[in-house]
Amino acid sequence: MPTMKLEIVTAERQVFSGDVTTIIAEGTEGQMTVLPKHAPLITMLAPGELVIRKDGDEQYMVISGGFMEVMPEKVILLADACERSDEIDLERATAAKQRAEDRLKSITPDIDQSRAEAALRRSIARLHVAEKRRRGPGYRPSV
Ligand code: ATP
């Protein structure tokens, strides 16, 4: 199967570098599937799940927003933060979700609602990806 090079970097580290056959990412306009020789483009990514495939192997990651540059032979993903499914700290994500929900419930003038909503999306994406890893590829979250 044809492959393309994928590099995922944050300001802190290189999260992934290797050859892959498929990338499924959450663009701000919806889910995108990228295959080798895709037309060049640059797009913004929403906080959410990233799936990469090679030789029948599927890896899950969480991206908390960023940019993706697609070229025919190479894709570069610049992420605000990114964790592989095995790096996700479940307790931390659960606490972050609770905090964001509490903030959204107690709407007062000093609450930045969009910030709390973004934190909620990140925590939910982390929990989904960690759960997917635990349950296997067929698992589809209900929330
Ligand atoms: P928290 O409130 O728990 O810090 P957050 O959504 O505000 O969560 P980010 O700003 O997205 O966190 O990320 C800050 C750093 O912490 C990044 O390096 C990110 O990869 C890491 N990180 C955040 N949450 C988790 C988690 N649940 N498990 C592992 N790493 C995490």
Side-chain angles (χ1 to χ4, degrees):
M1 251 182 131
T3 60
M4 63 200 144
K5 201 153 203 51
L6 171 64
E7 272 181 32
I8 305 176
V9 287
T10 69
E12 289 161 5
R13 63 181 182 135
Q14 183 172 65
V15 182
F16 181 91
S17 174
D19 295 322
V20 302
T21 48
T22 311
I23 302 165
I24 304 170
E26 301 290 333
T28 46
E29 316 252 313
Q31 197 178 66
M32 282 187 66
T33 300
V34 180
L35 301 170
K37 307 236 181 289
H38 195 288
L41 64 87
I42 295 182
T43 188
M44 269 177 84
L45 296 177
E49 190 176 336
L50 177 79
V51 182
I52 58 183
R53 292 193 189 127
K54 193 191 173 193
D55 299 334
D57 179 48
E58 203 167 54
Q59 277 193 51
Y60 313 114
M61 305 196 186
V62 175
I63 300 275
S64 56
F67 289 92
M68 178 164 71
E69 181 179 11
V70 178
M71 295 161 277
E73 312 287 336
K74 185 172 181 179
V75 175
I76 299 175
L77 222 144
L78 287 174
D80 297 329
C82 175
E83 304 97 48
R84 297 192 314 268
S85 59
D86 61 315
E87 294 176 313
I88 294 168
D89 178 337
L90 263 181
E91 263 179 45
R92 179 172 170 180
T94 306
K97 178 167 178 272
Q98 189 62 55
R99 243 183 352 259
E101 283 172 345
D102 290 348
R103 268 189 222 127
L104 287 167
K105 264 188 236 145
S106 65
I107 300 285
T108 57
D110 61 322
I111 291 285
D112 182 340
Q113 176 145 359
S114 61
R115 209 171 140 196
E117 281 168 355
L120 183 61
R121 273 197 300 275
R122 290 196 299 275
S123 63
I124 289 174
R126 285 177 176 126
L127 292 172
H128 281 173
V129 169
E131 187 67 3
K132 208 163 163 177
R133 175 183 161 83
R134 204 170 65 80
R135 298 209 188 198
Y139 172 67
R140 292 282 174 270
S142 56
V143 203

